[in-house]
Amino acid sequence: MSKLPVISGKDCVKALGKIGYYFKRQEGSHIILRRDDPFSQVVVPDHKELDRGTLRAIIRQAGLSVDEFVKLL
């Protein structure tokens, strides 16, 4: 298992875009991404650095492993 990288919210949005997530809306600093097939919705904070626990939760909600997510970066 690879180590969790320190990335920004924008980098996370770009990586998730590669697997079908698209920008739905933004409320303050929270970017809501959606994927239609299979349906999934994740919220990514638009911060300079995402906390490790927050990033891990986003990866889990997207149905990815850490290794799969790192390859998308």
Short mmCIF file of all heavy atoms in Angstrom, two decimals:
data_model
loop_
_atom_site.label_atom_id
_atom_site.label_comp_id
_atom_site.label_asym_id
_atom_site.label_seq_id
_atom_site.Cartn_x
_atom_site.Cartn_y
_atom_site.Cartn_z
N MET A 1 0.85 -1.18 0.00
CA MET A 1 0.00 0.00 0.00
C MET A 1 0.89 1.24 0.00
O MET A 1 1.80 1.36 0.80
CB MET A 1 -0.89 -0.01 1.25
CG MET A 1 -1.90 1.09 1.27
SD MET A 1 -3.12 0.82 2.54
CE MET A 1 -2.69 2.13 3.66
N SER A 2 0.64 2.14 -0.91
CA SER A 2 1.45 3.34 -1.00
C SER A 2 1.01 4.36 0.03
O SER A 2 -0.12 4.33 0.54
CB SER A 2 1.38 3.94 -2.40
OG SER A 2 0.08 4.35 -2.68
N LYS A 3 1.90 5.28 0.35
CA LYS A 3 1.63 6.30 1.34
C LYS A 3 0.67 7.34 0.76
O LYS A 3 0.73 7.66 -0.42
CB LYS A 3 2.95 6.95 1.75
CG LYS A 3 2.86 7.81 2.95
CD LYS A 3 4.22 8.31 3.38
CE LYS A 3 4.07 9.23 4.57
NZ LYS A 3 5.35 9.79 4.97
N LEU A 4 -0.17 7.87 1.60
CA LEU A 4 -1.15 8.86 1.18
C LEU A 4 -0.44 10.18 0.88
O LEU A 4 0.27 10.70 1.73
CB LEU A 4 -2.17 9.05 2.30
CG LEU A 4 -3.55 9.57 1.93
CD1 LEU A 4 -4.22 8.62 0.94
CD2 LEU A 4 -4.41 9.69 3.16
N PRO A 5 -0.60 10.73 -0.32
CA PRO A 5 0.10 11.97 -0.66
C PRO A 5 -0.58 13.19 -0.03
O PRO A 5 -1.75 13.14 0.34
CB PRO A 5 -0.03 12.02 -2.19
CG PRO A 5 -1.31 11.32 -2.46
CD PRO A 5 -1.40 10.22 -1.42
N VAL A 6 0.18 14.27 0.09
CA VAL A 6 -0.38 15.55 0.55
C VAL A 6 -0.70 16.35 -0.70
O VAL A 6 0.19 16.72 -1.46
CB VAL A 6 0.63 16.31 1.44
CG1 VAL A 6 0.07 17.67 1.84
CG2 VAL A 6 0.98 15.49 2.66
N ILE A 7 -2.01 16.55 -0.96
CA ILE A 7 -2.42 17.25 -2.17
C ILE A 7 -3.45 18.32 -1.82
O ILE A 7 -4.00 18.33 -0.73
CB ILE A 7 -3.02 16.28 -3.22
CG1 ILE A 7 -4.27 15.59 -2.68
CG2 ILE A 7 -1.98 15.28 -3.69
CD1 ILE A 7 -5.05 14.83 -3.72
N SER A 8 -3.72 19.19 -2.79
CA SER A 8 -4.73 20.23 -2.60
C SER A 8 -6.09 19.70 -3.02
O SER A 8 -6.20 18.65 -3.66
CB SER A 8 -4.37 21.46 -3.43
OG SER A 8 -4.52 21.18 -4.81
N GLY A 9 -7.12 20.46 -2.69
CA GLY A 9 -8.47 20.09 -3.09
C GLY A 9 -8.62 20.09 -4.61
O GLY A 9 -9.29 19.22 -5.17
N LYS A 10 -8.00 21.07 -5.28
CA LYS A 10 -8.07 21.14 -6.75
C LYS A 10 -7.45 19.92 -7.39
O LYS A 10 -7.98 19.38 -8.38
CB LYS A 10 -7.37 22.40 -7.26
CG LYS A 10 -8.04 23.70 -6.86
CD LYS A 10 -9.22 24.00 -7.73
CE LYS A 10 -9.75 25.39 -7.40
NZ LYS A 10 -11.10 25.59 -7.85
N ASP A 11 -6.29 19.44 -6.85
CA ASP A 11 -5.65 18.24 -7.39
C ASP A 11 -6.54 17.02 -7.22
O ASP A 11 -6.60 16.15 -8.09
CB ASP A 11 -4.30 18.01 -6.72
CG ASP A 11 -3.27 19.07 -7.09
OD1 ASP A 11 -3.43 19.70 -8.16
OD2 ASP A 11 -2.32 19.26 -6.32
N CYS A 12 -7.24 16.96 -6.10
CA CYS A 12 -8.15 15.85 -5.84
C CYS A 12 -9.30 15.87 -6.84
O CYS A 12 -9.69 14.83 -7.38
CB CYS A 12 -8.66 15.93 -4.41
SG CYS A 12 -9.74 14.59 -3.93
N VAL A 13 -9.84 17.06 -7.12
CA VAL A 13 -10.93 17.20 -8.08
C VAL A 13 -10.48 16.74 -9.47
O VAL A 13 -11.20 16.03 -10.18
CB VAL A 13 -11.45 18.65 -8.12
CG1 VAL A 13 -12.37 18.88 -9.30
CG2 VAL A 13 -12.14 19.01 -6.82
N LYS A 14 -9.26 17.13 -9.87
CA LYS A 14 -8.73 16.73 -11.18
C LYS A 14 -8.58 15.21 -11.28
O LYS A 14 -8.92 14.60 -12.29
CB LYS A 14 -7.37 17.39 -11.43
CG LYS A 14 -7.44 18.86 -11.74
CD LYS A 14 -6.05 19.42 -11.95
CE LYS A 14 -6.07 20.93 -12.00
NZ LYS A 14 -4.71 21.51 -12.05
N ALA A 15 -8.07 14.59 -10.21
CA ALA A 15 -7.89 13.13 -10.21
C ALA A 15 -9.24 12.41 -10.30
O ALA A 15 -9.39 11.46 -11.07
CB ALA A 15 -7.14 12.70 -8.96
N LEU A 16 -10.23 12.88 -9.55
CA LEU A 16 -11.54 12.24 -9.59
C LEU A 16 -12.24 12.47 -10.93
O LEU A 16 -13.03 11.65 -11.37
CB LEU A 16 -12.41 12.75 -8.44
CG LEU A 16 -11.97 12.32 -7.04
CD1 LEU A 16 -12.82 13.00 -5.98
CD2 LEU A 16 -12.01 10.81 -6.88
N GLY A 17 -11.91 13.58 -11.60
CA GLY A 17 -12.46 13.85 -12.92
C GLY A 17 -12.06 12.80 -13.95
O GLY A 17 -12.79 12.54 -14.91
N LYS A 18 -10.91 12.17 -13.73
CA LYS A 18 -10.41 11.15 -14.66
C LYS A 18 -11.23 9.86 -14.61
O LYS A 18 -11.16 9.05 -15.53
CB LYS A 18 -8.95 10.83 -14.37
CG LYS A 18 -8.03 12.00 -14.65
CD LYS A 18 -6.60 11.67 -14.30
CE LYS A 18 -5.70 12.89 -14.50
NZ LYS A 18 -4.32 12.61 -14.08
N ILE A 19 -12.01 9.68 -13.53
CA ILE A 19 -12.83 8.46 -13.44
C ILE A 19 -14.32 8.78 -13.52
O ILE A 19 -15.15 8.00 -13.07
CB ILE A 19 -12.52 7.66 -12.16
CG1 ILE A 19 -12.74 8.50 -10.90
CG2 ILE A 19 -11.12 7.08 -12.20
CD1 ILE A 19 -12.77 7.69 -9.63
N GLY A 20 -14.66 9.92 -14.09
CA GLY A 20 -16.05 10.20 -14.39
C GLY A 20 -16.77 11.17 -13.48
O GLY A 20 -17.96 11.43 -13.67
N TYR A 21 -16.10 11.71 -12.48
CA TYR A 21 -16.75 12.70 -11.61
C TYR A 21 -16.73 14.06 -12.31
O TYR A 21 -15.77 14.40 -12.98
CB TYR A 21 -16.02 12.81 -10.26
CG TYR A 21 -16.35 11.67 -9.33
CD1 TYR A 21 -15.60 10.51 -9.33
CD2 TYR A 21 -17.42 11.76 -8.45
CE1 TYR A 21 -15.90 9.46 -8.49
CE2 TYR A 21 -17.73 10.71 -7.60
CZ TYR A 21 -16.97 9.57 -7.63
OH TYR A 21 -17.28 8.53 -6.79
N TYR A 22 -17.81 14.80 -12.14
CA TYR A 22 -17.88 16.13 -12.72
C TYR A 22 -18.39 17.12 -11.68
O TYR A 22 -19.03 16.74 -10.70
CB TYR A 22 -18.77 16.15 -13.97
CG TYR A 22 -20.21 15.75 -13.73
CD1 TYR A 22 -21.18 16.70 -13.41
CD2 TYR A 22 -20.60 14.42 -13.84
CE1 TYR A 22 -22.50 16.33 -13.20
CE2 TYR A 22 -21.92 14.05 -13.62
CZ TYR A 22 -22.86 15.01 -13.30
OH TYR A 22 -24.16 14.65 -13.08
N PHE A 23 -18.09 18.39 -11.91
CA PHE A 23 -18.47 19.47 -11.00
C PHE A 23 -19.98 19.62 -11.02
O PHE A 23 -20.58 19.81 -12.07
CB PHE A 23 -17.79 20.77 -11.44
CG PHE A 23 -18.15 21.96 -10.61
CD1 PHE A 23 -17.45 22.24 -9.46
CD2 PHE A 23 -19.18 22.80 -10.98
CE1 PHE A 23 -17.78 23.34 -8.68
CE2 PHE A 23 -19.52 23.91 -10.22
CZ PHE A 23 -18.81 24.17 -9.05
N LYS A 24 -20.60 19.53 -9.86
CA LYS A 24 -22.05 19.71 -9.76
C LYS A 24 -22.36 21.12 -9.26
O LYS A 24 -23.12 21.85 -9.89
CB LYS A 24 -22.63 18.66 -8.80
CG LYS A 24 -24.12 18.76 -8.61
CD LYS A 24 -24.86 18.41 -9.87
CE LYS A 24 -26.36 18.46 -9.60
NZ LYS A 24 -27.12 18.48 -10.82
N ARG A 25 -21.76 21.48 -8.12
CA ARG A 25 -21.95 22.83 -7.57
C ARG A 25 -20.89 23.07 -6.51
O ARG A 25 -20.15 22.17 -6.14
CB ARG A 25 -23.35 22.98 -6.99
CG ARG A 25 -23.63 22.15 -5.77
CD ARG A 25 -25.06 22.34 -5.29
NE ARG A 25 -25.29 21.68 -4.03
CZ ARG A 25 -25.57 20.39 -3.87
NH1 ARG A 25 -25.66 19.60 -4.93
NH2 ARG A 25 -25.78 19.88 -2.68
N GLN A 26 -20.86 24.31 -6.02
CA GLN A 26 -19.93 24.66 -4.95
C GLN A 26 -20.67 25.48 -3.90
O GLN A 26 -21.41 26.40 -4.25
CB GLN A 26 -18.74 25.44 -5.50
CG GLN A 26 -17.71 25.76 -4.44
CD GLN A 26 -16.39 26.24 -5.02
OE1 GLN A 26 -16.18 26.18 -6.22
NE2 GLN A 26 -15.52 26.69 -4.16
N GLU A 27 -20.47 25.13 -2.65
CA GLU A 27 -21.06 25.87 -1.55
C GLU A 27 -19.93 26.31 -0.64
O GLU A 27 -19.36 25.50 0.09
CB GLU A 27 -22.06 25.00 -0.78
CG GLU A 27 -23.27 24.62 -1.62
CD GLU A 27 -24.28 23.78 -0.84
OE1 GLU A 27 -24.18 23.72 0.40
OE2 GLU A 27 -25.14 23.19 -1.49
N GLY A 28 -19.57 27.58 -0.72
CA GLY A 28 -18.43 28.08 0.04
C GLY A 28 -17.15 27.45 -0.48
O GLY A 28 -16.86 27.51 -1.67
N SER A 29 -16.41 26.79 0.40
CA SER A 29 -15.16 26.16 -0.03
C SER A 29 -15.34 24.68 -0.31
O SER A 29 -14.37 23.96 -0.51
CB SER A 29 -14.09 26.34 1.06
OG SER A 29 -14.45 25.60 2.21
N HIS A 30 -16.58 24.19 -0.35
CA HIS A 30 -16.83 22.78 -0.60
C HIS A 30 -17.31 22.56 -2.03
O HIS A 30 -18.32 23.10 -2.44
CB HIS A 30 -17.86 22.23 0.40
CG HIS A 30 -17.33 22.18 1.79
ND1 HIS A 30 -17.36 23.25 2.63
CD2 HIS A 30 -16.73 21.17 2.47
CE1 HIS A 30 -16.81 22.91 3.78
NE2 HIS A 30 -16.42 21.65 3.71
N ILE A 31 -16.56 21.74 -2.76
CA ILE A 31 -16.89 21.40 -4.15
C ILE A 31 -17.62 20.06 -4.14
O ILE A 31 -17.11 19.07 -3.62
CB ILE A 31 -15.61 21.31 -5.00
CG1 ILE A 31 -14.85 22.63 -4.95
CG2 ILE A 31 -15.93 20.90 -6.42
CD1 ILE A 31 -13.44 22.55 -5.51
N ILE A 32 -18.81 20.04 -4.73
CA ILE A 32 -19.61 18.82 -4.79
C ILE A 32 -19.42 18.20 -6.18
O ILE A 32 -19.70 18.85 -7.18
CB ILE A 32 -21.10 19.09 -4.50
CG1 ILE A 32 -21.31 19.48 -3.02
CG2 ILE A 32 -21.94 17.85 -4.77
CD1 ILE A 32 -21.21 20.91 -2.71
N LEU A 33 -18.91 16.98 -6.20
CA LEU A 33 -18.68 16.25 -7.45
C LEU A 33 -19.69 15.11 -7.54
O LEU A 33 -20.05 14.51 -6.53
CB LEU A 33 -17.27 15.68 -7.49
CG LEU A 33 -16.13 16.67 -7.36
CD1 LEU A 33 -14.81 15.92 -7.29
CD2 LEU A 33 -16.12 17.62 -8.54
N ARG A 34 -20.10 14.80 -8.77
CA ARG A 34 -21.07 13.73 -8.98
C ARG A 34 -20.62 12.83 -10.12
O ARG A 34 -20.00 13.28 -11.07
CB ARG A 34 -22.43 14.33 -9.30
CG ARG A 34 -23.51 13.28 -9.53
CD ARG A 34 -24.85 13.89 -9.72
NE ARG A 34 -25.35 14.29 -8.40
CZ ARG A 34 -26.52 14.88 -8.21
NH1 ARG A 34 -27.28 15.18 -9.22
NH2 ARG A 34 -26.92 15.19 -7.00
N ARG A 35 -20.97 11.55 -10.01
CA ARG A 35 -20.78 10.58 -11.09
C ARG A 35 -22.11 9.90 -11.29
O ARG A 35 -22.77 9.52 -10.32
CB ARG A 35 -19.70 9.56 -10.68
CG ARG A 35 -19.43 8.51 -11.73
CD ARG A 35 -18.33 7.58 -11.32
NE ARG A 35 -18.73 6.84 -10.12
CZ ARG A 35 -17.90 6.09 -9.41
NH1 ARG A 35 -16.64 5.99 -9.73
NH2 ARG A 35 -18.35 5.45 -8.34
N ASP A 36 -22.53 9.75 -12.54
CA ASP A 36 -23.86 9.21 -12.82
C ASP A 36 -23.92 7.68 -12.85
O ASP A 36 -24.90 7.10 -12.41
CB ASP A 36 -24.37 9.77 -14.14
CG ASP A 36 -24.65 11.27 -14.05
OD1 ASP A 36 -25.03 11.73 -12.96
OD2 ASP A 36 -24.46 11.96 -15.05
N ASP A 37 -22.88 7.03 -13.39
CA ASP A 37 -22.98 5.58 -13.55
C ASP A 37 -21.70 4.90 -13.07
O ASP A 37 -20.69 5.00 -13.76
CB ASP A 37 -23.25 5.22 -15.02
CG ASP A 37 -23.59 3.76 -15.20
OD1 ASP A 37 -24.19 3.19 -14.28
OD2 ASP A 37 -23.25 3.21 -16.25
N PRO A 38 -21.69 4.22 -11.94
CA PRO A 38 -22.76 4.14 -10.95
C PRO A 38 -22.84 5.44 -10.16
O PRO A 38 -21.83 6.12 -9.96
CB PRO A 38 -22.30 2.99 -10.05
CG PRO A 38 -20.81 2.99 -10.16
CD PRO A 38 -20.51 3.44 -11.56
N PHE A 39 -24.03 5.78 -9.69
CA PHE A 39 -24.24 7.06 -9.01
C PHE A 39 -23.39 7.16 -7.75
O PHE A 39 -23.34 6.25 -6.94
CB PHE A 39 -25.71 7.25 -8.64
CG PHE A 39 -25.95 8.56 -7.95
CD1 PHE A 39 -26.06 9.73 -8.68
CD2 PHE A 39 -26.01 8.64 -6.56
CE1 PHE A 39 -26.26 10.95 -8.05
CE2 PHE A 39 -26.21 9.85 -5.93
CZ PHE A 39 -26.33 11.00 -6.67
N SER A 40 -22.71 8.28 -7.64
CA SER A 40 -21.90 8.56 -6.47
C SER A 40 -21.71 10.06 -6.37
O SER A 40 -21.63 10.75 -7.39
CB SER A 40 -20.54 7.86 -6.60
OG SER A 40 -19.71 8.21 -5.52
N GLN A 41 -21.64 10.56 -5.15
CA GLN A 41 -21.42 11.99 -4.94
C GLN A 41 -20.42 12.16 -3.80
O GLN A 41 -20.55 11.51 -2.77
CB GLN A 41 -22.75 12.67 -4.60
CG GLN A 41 -22.68 14.17 -4.53
CD GLN A 41 -24.06 14.79 -4.53
OE1 GLN A 41 -24.77 14.71 -5.53
NE2 GLN A 41 -24.45 15.39 -3.43
N VAL A 42 -19.41 13.01 -4.02
CA VAL A 42 -18.42 13.28 -2.98
C VAL A 42 -18.25 14.78 -2.81
O VAL A 42 -18.47 15.55 -3.75
CB VAL A 42 -17.06 12.62 -3.29
CG1 VAL A 42 -17.14 11.13 -3.27
CG2 VAL A 42 -16.50 13.11 -4.60
N VAL A 43 -17.86 15.19 -1.62
CA VAL A 43 -17.62 16.58 -1.31
C VAL A 43 -16.13 16.75 -1.05
O VAL A 43 -15.55 16.05 -0.21
CB VAL A 43 -18.43 17.03 -0.07
CG1 VAL A 43 -18.14 18.48 0.26
CG2 VAL A 43 -19.92 16.82 -0.30
N VAL A 44 -15.50 17.67 -1.79
CA VAL A 44 -14.07 17.93 -1.66
C VAL A 44 -13.87 19.36 -1.18
O VAL A 44 -14.31 20.29 -1.86
CB VAL A 44 -13.34 17.72 -3.01
CG1 VAL A 44 -11.85 17.99 -2.85
CG2 VAL A 44 -13.57 16.32 -3.54
N PRO A 45 -13.22 19.56 -0.03
CA PRO A 45 -12.94 20.92 0.42
C PRO A 45 -11.89 21.56 -0.49
O PRO A 45 -10.91 20.91 -0.84
CB PRO A 45 -12.38 20.75 1.83
CG PRO A 45 -12.61 19.33 2.20
CD PRO A 45 -12.81 18.56 0.95
N ASP A 46 -12.08 22.81 -0.86
CA ASP A 46 -11.14 23.52 -1.72
C ASP A 46 -10.06 24.17 -0.85
O ASP A 46 -10.03 25.38 -0.69
CB ASP A 46 -11.88 24.57 -2.56
CG ASP A 46 -10.99 25.22 -3.60
OD1 ASP A 46 -9.89 24.69 -3.85
OD2 ASP A 46 -11.38 26.26 -4.15
N HIS A 47 -9.20 23.33 -0.27
CA HIS A 47 -8.14 23.81 0.60
C HIS A 47 -6.77 23.59 -0.05
O HIS A 47 -6.65 22.78 -0.96
CB HIS A 47 -8.17 23.07 1.95
CG HIS A 47 -9.44 23.28 2.71
ND1 HIS A 47 -9.83 22.43 3.72
CD2 HIS A 47 -10.40 24.22 2.63
CE1 HIS A 47 -10.98 22.85 4.23
NE2 HIS A 47 -11.35 23.94 3.57
N LYS A 48 -5.77 24.32 0.43
CA LYS A 48 -4.42 24.16 -0.12
C LYS A 48 -3.86 22.78 0.18
O LYS A 48 -3.14 22.21 -0.64
CB LYS A 48 -3.48 25.23 0.45
CG LYS A 48 -3.78 26.61 -0.08
CD LYS A 48 -2.82 27.63 0.50
CE LYS A 48 -3.18 29.02 -0.01
NZ LYS A 48 -2.35 30.05 0.62
N GLU A 49 -4.15 22.26 1.36
CA GLU A 49 -3.74 20.91 1.74
C GLU A 49 -4.92 20.21 2.39
O GLU A 49 -5.53 20.74 3.31
CB GLU A 49 -2.58 20.94 2.74
CG GLU A 49 -1.24 21.23 2.14
CD GLU A 49 -0.12 21.09 3.17
OE1 GLU A 49 -0.38 20.62 4.31
OE2 GLU A 49 1.01 21.45 2.84
N LEU A 50 -5.21 19.00 1.91
CA LEU A 50 -6.28 18.21 2.52
C LEU A 50 -5.69 17.39 3.66
O LEU A 50 -4.61 16.82 3.53
CB LEU A 50 -6.91 17.27 1.49
CG LEU A 50 -7.69 17.92 0.35
CD1 LEU A 50 -8.18 16.84 -0.61
CD2 LEU A 50 -8.85 18.73 0.87
N ASP A 51 -6.40 17.33 4.78
CA ASP A 51 -5.97 16.48 5.88
C ASP A 51 -5.98 15.03 5.42
O ASP A 51 -6.78 14.64 4.56
CB ASP A 51 -6.91 16.63 7.09
CG ASP A 51 -6.76 17.97 7.77
OD1 ASP A 51 -5.67 18.58 7.64
OD2 ASP A 51 -7.72 18.41 8.42
N ARG A 52 -5.11 14.21 6.01
CA ARG A 52 -5.03 12.81 5.60
C ARG A 52 -6.34 12.06 5.81
O ARG A 52 -6.76 11.29 4.95
CB ARG A 52 -3.90 12.11 6.36
CG ARG A 52 -2.55 12.34 5.72
CD ARG A 52 -1.49 11.62 6.47
NE ARG A 52 -1.14 12.46 7.62
CZ ARG A 52 -0.43 12.06 8.65
NH1 ARG A 52 0.00 10.84 8.72
NH2 ARG A 52 -0.16 12.88 9.64
N GLY A 53 -7.00 12.30 6.93
CA GLY A 53 -8.26 11.63 7.20
C GLY A 53 -9.35 12.03 6.22
O GLY A 53 -10.16 11.20 5.78
N THR A 54 -9.37 13.32 5.86
CA THR A 54 -10.36 13.81 4.89
C THR A 54 -10.12 13.18 3.53
O THR A 54 -11.05 12.71 2.88
CB THR A 54 -10.27 15.35 4.79
OG1 THR A 54 -10.47 15.91 6.08
CG2 THR A 54 -11.30 15.89 3.82
N LEU A 55 -8.86 13.16 3.09
CA LEU A 55 -8.53 12.57 1.79
C LEU A 55 -8.86 11.09 1.77
O LEU A 55 -9.41 10.57 0.81
CB LEU A 55 -7.06 12.80 1.46
CG LEU A 55 -6.58 12.27 0.12
CD1 LEU A 55 -7.40 12.85 -1.03
CD2 LEU A 55 -5.11 12.57 -0.08
N ARG A 56 -8.55 10.40 2.86
CA ARG A 56 -8.84 8.96 2.93
C ARG A 56 -10.35 8.71 2.84
O ARG A 56 -10.80 7.78 2.16
CB ARG A 56 -8.28 8.38 4.23
CG ARG A 56 -8.25 6.89 4.27
CD ARG A 56 -7.51 6.37 5.48
NE ARG A 56 -6.10 6.71 5.53
CZ ARG A 56 -5.15 6.07 4.86
NH1 ARG A 56 -5.47 5.06 4.08
NH2 ARG A 56 -3.90 6.41 4.98
N ALA A 57 -11.15 9.57 3.48
CA ALA A 57 -12.61 9.43 3.42
C ALA A 57 -13.13 9.68 2.00
O ALA A 57 -14.03 8.98 1.53
CB ALA A 57 -13.26 10.39 4.41
N ILE A 58 -12.56 10.68 1.31
CA ILE A 58 -12.97 10.97 -0.07
C ILE A 58 -12.65 9.78 -0.97
O ILE A 58 -13.47 9.36 -1.79
CB ILE A 58 -12.27 12.25 -0.57
CG1 ILE A 58 -12.81 13.46 0.17
CG2 ILE A 58 -12.45 12.40 -2.08
CD1 ILE A 58 -12.01 14.73 -0.04
N ILE A 59 -11.45 9.21 -0.80
CA ILE A 59 -11.04 8.05 -1.60
C ILE A 59 -11.98 6.88 -1.34
O ILE A 59 -12.41 6.19 -2.27
CB ILE A 59 -9.58 7.68 -1.30
CG1 ILE A 59 -8.64 8.79 -1.79
CG2 ILE A 59 -9.21 6.34 -1.92
CD1 ILE A 59 -7.21 8.64 -1.32
N ARG A 60 -12.34 6.66 -0.08
CA ARG A 60 -13.25 5.56 0.27
C ARG A 60 -14.63 5.77 -0.33
O ARG A 60 -15.24 4.84 -0.87
CB ARG A 60 -13.35 5.45 1.79
CG ARG A 60 -14.04 4.20 2.26
CD ARG A 60 -14.12 4.07 3.78
NE ARG A 60 -12.89 4.40 4.47
CZ ARG A 60 -12.76 5.43 5.34
NH1 ARG A 60 -13.79 6.21 5.60
NH2 ARG A 60 -11.63 5.66 5.94
N GLN A 61 -15.14 7.01 -0.27
CA GLN A 61 -16.46 7.31 -0.83
C GLN A 61 -16.48 7.13 -2.35
O GLN A 61 -17.51 6.78 -2.93
CB GLN A 61 -16.88 8.73 -0.48
CG GLN A 61 -17.23 8.91 0.97
CD GLN A 61 -17.44 10.36 1.34
OE1 GLN A 61 -17.52 11.23 0.48
NE2 GLN A 61 -17.52 10.63 2.63
N ALA A 62 -15.34 7.37 -2.99
CA ALA A 62 -15.25 7.21 -4.45
C ALA A 62 -15.09 5.74 -4.84
O ALA A 62 -15.13 5.41 -6.03
CB ALA A 62 -14.09 8.03 -4.99
N GLY A 63 -14.91 4.86 -3.86
CA GLY A 63 -14.79 3.43 -4.14
C GLY A 63 -13.43 3.04 -4.68
O GLY A 63 -13.30 2.06 -5.42
N LEU A 64 -12.39 3.78 -4.30
CA LEU A 64 -11.04 3.52 -4.78
C LEU A 64 -10.16 3.05 -3.64
O LEU A 64 -10.47 3.28 -2.47
CB LEU A 64 -10.42 4.80 -5.37
CG LEU A 64 -11.10 5.44 -6.56
CD1 LEU A 64 -10.48 6.80 -6.85
CD2 LEU A 64 -10.99 4.54 -7.77
N SER A 65 -9.04 2.44 -3.99
CA SER A 65 -8.00 2.17 -3.01
C SER A 65 -7.00 3.33 -3.09
O SER A 65 -7.01 4.11 -4.05
CB SER A 65 -7.30 0.85 -3.30
OG SER A 65 -6.51 0.96 -4.46
N VAL A 66 -6.13 3.44 -2.10
CA VAL A 66 -5.12 4.50 -2.10
C VAL A 66 -4.22 4.36 -3.32
O VAL A 66 -3.89 5.35 -3.98
CB VAL A 66 -4.31 4.48 -0.79
CG1 VAL A 66 -3.17 5.48 -0.84
CG2 VAL A 66 -5.21 4.77 0.39
N ASP A 67 -3.84 3.13 -3.65
CA ASP A 67 -2.97 2.89 -4.80
C ASP A 67 -3.64 3.34 -6.11
O ASP A 67 -3.01 3.97 -6.96
CB ASP A 67 -2.59 1.41 -4.91
CG ASP A 67 -1.68 0.97 -3.78
OD1 ASP A 67 -0.88 1.80 -3.31
OD2 ASP A 67 -1.77 -0.20 -3.37
N GLU A 68 -4.92 3.03 -6.27
CA GLU A 68 -5.64 3.44 -7.48
C GLU A 68 -5.72 4.96 -7.56
O GLU A 68 -5.55 5.54 -8.64
CB GLU A 68 -7.06 2.87 -7.47
CG GLU A 68 -7.12 1.37 -7.65
CD GLU A 68 -8.49 0.79 -7.38
OE1 GLU A 68 -9.27 1.39 -6.61
OE2 GLU A 68 -8.78 -0.28 -7.95
N PHE A 69 -5.94 5.61 -6.42
CA PHE A 69 -6.02 7.08 -6.41
C PHE A 69 -4.68 7.71 -6.76
O PHE A 69 -4.63 8.66 -7.53
CB PHE A 69 -6.50 7.56 -5.03
CG PHE A 69 -6.66 9.04 -4.96
CD1 PHE A 69 -7.77 9.66 -5.54
CD2 PHE A 69 -5.71 9.84 -4.35
CE1 PHE A 69 -7.92 11.03 -5.50
CE2 PHE A 69 -5.86 11.21 -4.31
CZ PHE A 69 -6.97 11.81 -4.87
N VAL A 70 -3.59 7.16 -6.22
CA VAL A 70 -2.25 7.70 -6.49
C VAL A 70 -1.94 7.60 -7.99
O VAL A 70 -1.33 8.49 -8.56
CB VAL A 70 -1.19 6.98 -5.63
CG1 VAL A 70 0.21 7.34 -6.08
CG2 VAL A 70 -1.38 7.34 -4.16
N LYS A 71 -2.37 6.54 -8.64
CA LYS A 71 -2.13 6.39 -10.08
C LYS A 71 -2.87 7.44 -10.90
O LYS A 71 -2.44 7.80 -11.98
CB LYS A 71 -2.54 4.99 -10.55
CG LYS A 71 -1.59 3.91 -10.07
CD LYS A 71 -2.06 2.54 -10.50
CE LYS A 71 -1.17 1.48 -9.90
NZ LYS A 71 -1.67 0.13 -10.14
N LEU A 72 -4.01 7.95 -10.38
CA LEU A 72 -4.78 8.97 -11.08
C LEU A 72 -4.08 10.33 -11.02
O LEU A 72 -4.37 11.20 -11.83
CB LEU A 72 -6.18 9.09 -10.49
CG LEU A 72 -7.11 7.90 -10.70
CD1 LEU A 72 -8.39 8.11 -9.91
CD2 LEU A 72 -7.42 7.71 -12.16
N LEU A 73 -3.22 10.54 -10.03
CA LEU A 73 -2.57 11.85 -9.86
C LEU A 73 -1.56 12.11 -10.91
O LEU A 73 -1.06 11.96 -11.70
CB LEU A 73 -1.89 11.96 -8.50
CG LEU A 73 -2.84 11.93 -7.31
CD1 LEU A 73 -2.07 11.91 -6.02
CD2 LEU A 73 -3.75 13.15 -7.33
#
